[in-house]
Amino acid sequence: MKGLLTLKQLSVEKILELIHFAEDLKKGCRLSYPNKKVATLFFENSTRTHYSFQCAILNLEAKILDFDAKVSSVSKGESLYDTVKTLEAIGVDAVVIRHQEDEYFKQLEGINIPILNGGDGKSNHPTQSLLDLMTIHEEFGKFEGLKICIVGDIAHSRVAHTNIEIMRRLGMEVYISGPEEFNDNSAEWIPFDEAIEKMDIIMMLRVQFERHQEKMKMSIEEYHKKYGMTEERMNKMKEHAIIMHPAPINRGVEIASNCAEAPKSRIFAQMTNGVYIRMAVISQALDGKLSC
Ligand code: CP
């Protein structure tokens, strides 16, 4: 299958190549695909992934077909496979899909156009991880030996799961922290206040209330006090250390509002980098090109 479904399918060399290409695109290298059409299919809500993919398509001078599941034949029972097969048949060159089901792409064996995964259930968010890695590379110029702690609702986070796997492969030391109820043992656990003082990167996560089967065992106020990025905690971080967050952010829950836009925060830089990463991934899917 063409496209990008998970980072596990990519070698470290290919991931570094994509990041370097995105950095070149950010420096101004230009590509143009005026005869290509890319459809964006978002079955789950999104702001960053949806619209940064669309900005990337426009920056590449390709055309966007924005699929709206609510007014499509999905509402008449058409399957995901038949929806994508239809887009392929009418001449779409690639599709971006976000879906609530883990590994939805397993239903799409037999599709011949590239599929770019915009997030599946709790499992994968490959372009988010790539933009996180680009932001880290931009900051530190390397991955090997960097210490990161991912903090919060690990169990429900496709970002955490994707990042833990690839960051380990890149030689980073990956830790997790937050409430025990969200610990799925996907990496070594560390107390949050210890992580604050030791890490190069603290990556905060949103509490994904919409995915919870049971109510969280503490109030939002208690969560913020015990596991939130507060000004006091931010001031205890190493001088060179940075704060990341895939967003959307819940100001006052996992992060205090003034920390979100503090000099240590790279949250909005991550979003900017997302456009270049998605341009690189689309270019690779359309014609295998990873240079201008
Ligand atoms: N980070 C991220 O995936 O955000 P959206 O849900 O807004 O796309």
Side-chain angles (χ1 to χ4, degrees):
M1 198 181 273
K2 295 182 199 166
L4 177 60
L5 306 178
T6 81
L7 289 192
K8 289 179 201 139
Q9 75 186 94
L10 298 184
S11 65
V12 162
E13 291 69 32
K14 176 60 79 178
I15 284 166
L16 295 176
E17 212 182 341
L18 279 165
I19 292 167
H20 293 149
F21 184 35
E23 289 171 344
D24 288 345
L25 288 163
K26 191 173 180 178
K27 284 180 200 143
C29 102
R30 293 268 166 268
L31 288 170
S32 179
Y33 298 99
N35 299 320
K36 297 288 186 183
K37 296 181 275 299
V38 182
T40 52
L41 293 78
F42 280 71
F43 294 90
E44 195 188 71
N45 293 346
S46 165
T47 297
R48 273 145 296 275
T49 312
H50 194 160
Y51 295 101
S52 69
F53 258 116
Q54 293 203 341
C55 283
I57 296 164
L58 293 174
N59 289 350
L60 292 169
E61 298 172 4
K63 301 195 171 53
I64 300 168
L65 284 88
D66 198 19
F67 178 84
D68 183 349
K70 285 192 282 300
V71 296
S72 74
S73 289
V74 168
S75 64
K76 302 174 201 164
E78 190 164 40
S79 68
L80 181 62
Y81 179 86
D82 285 328
T83 301
V84 179
K85 199 73 192 163
T86 300
L87 293 172
E88 178 183 307
I90 64 176
V92 167
D93 297 290
V95 288
V96 178
I97 303 178
R98 169 173 288 188
H99 204 282
Q100 61 280 4
E101 198 174 309
D102 290 292
E103 301 185 322
Y104 67 80
F105 42 79
K106 287 189 173 163
Q107 301 168 41
L108 299 178
E109 291 290 342
I111 298 295
N112 296 308
I113 52 173
I115 297 161
L116 304 170
N117 186 3
D120 61 284
K122 300 191 288 291
S123 297
N124 300 280
H125 199 344
T127 58
Q128 177 68 44
S129 261
L130 288 170
L131 73 89
D132 291 342
L133 295 174
M134 177 179 173
T135 308
I136 291 168
H137 190 254
E138 212 167 53
E139 188 72 29
F140 298 99
K142 63 171 190 174
F143 297 106
E144 186 78 37
L146 290 175
K147 292 188 174 70
I148 183 167
C149 184
I150 306 176
V151 184
D153 192 353
I154 308 290
H156 301 98
S157 173
R158 57 190 168 217
V159 177
H161 297 136
T162 310
N163 272 336
I164 289 166
E165 190 275 329
I166 182 55
M167 287 177 178
R168 280 178 173 152
R169 273 201 283 152
L170 287 164
M172 293 175 67
E173 278 184 46
V174 188
Y175 300 86
I176 53 175
S177 192
E180 186 50 37
E181 65 187 289
F182 299 142
N183 179 5
D184 60 3
N185 295 309
S186 49
E188 188 180 330
W189 194 258
I190 183 171
F192 184 34
D193 285 304
E194 190 181 328
I196 285 287
E197 294 183 12
K198 287 189 175 164
M199 298 292 135
D200 303 300
I201 303 146
I202 298 282
M203 180 177 283
M204 306 304 296
L205 297 178
R206 181 174 69 87
V207 180
Q208 300 200 36
F209 293 105
E210 74 280 10
R211 294 189 196 276
H212 294 180
Q213 304 291 331
E214 289 172 23
K215 203 170 177 296
M216 190 169 69
K217 293 192 178 85
M218 68 187 83
S219 67
I220 283 174
E221 292 73 27
E222 194 182 350
Y223 186 93
H224 185 66
K225 199 167 165 216
K226 285 187 172 164
Y227 305 109
M229 177 59 75
T230 58
E231 196 161 2
E232 192 187 345
R233 288 196 173 104
M234 182 173 68
N235 291 336
K236 287 184 183 160
M237 289 171 66
K238 288 183 181 176
E239 203 178 326
H240 69 264
I242 59 170
I243 299 166
M244 297 178 72
H245 191 315
I249 55 175
N250 283 325
R251 294 176 188 247
V253 184
E254 75 276 5
I255 187 162
S257 191
N258 57 349
C259 296
E261 289 169 69
K264 278 194 171 305
S265 169
R266 296 294 176 272
I267 296 172
F268 293 93
Q270 287 172 260
M271 295 176 202
T272 304
N273 287 342
V275 176
Y276 300 106
I277 281 292
R278 287 167 180 134
M279 287 170 73
V281 163
I282 294 166
S283 165
Q284 147 95 19
L286 290 177
D287 70 358
K289 236 176 152 172
L290 279 175
S291 64
C292 291

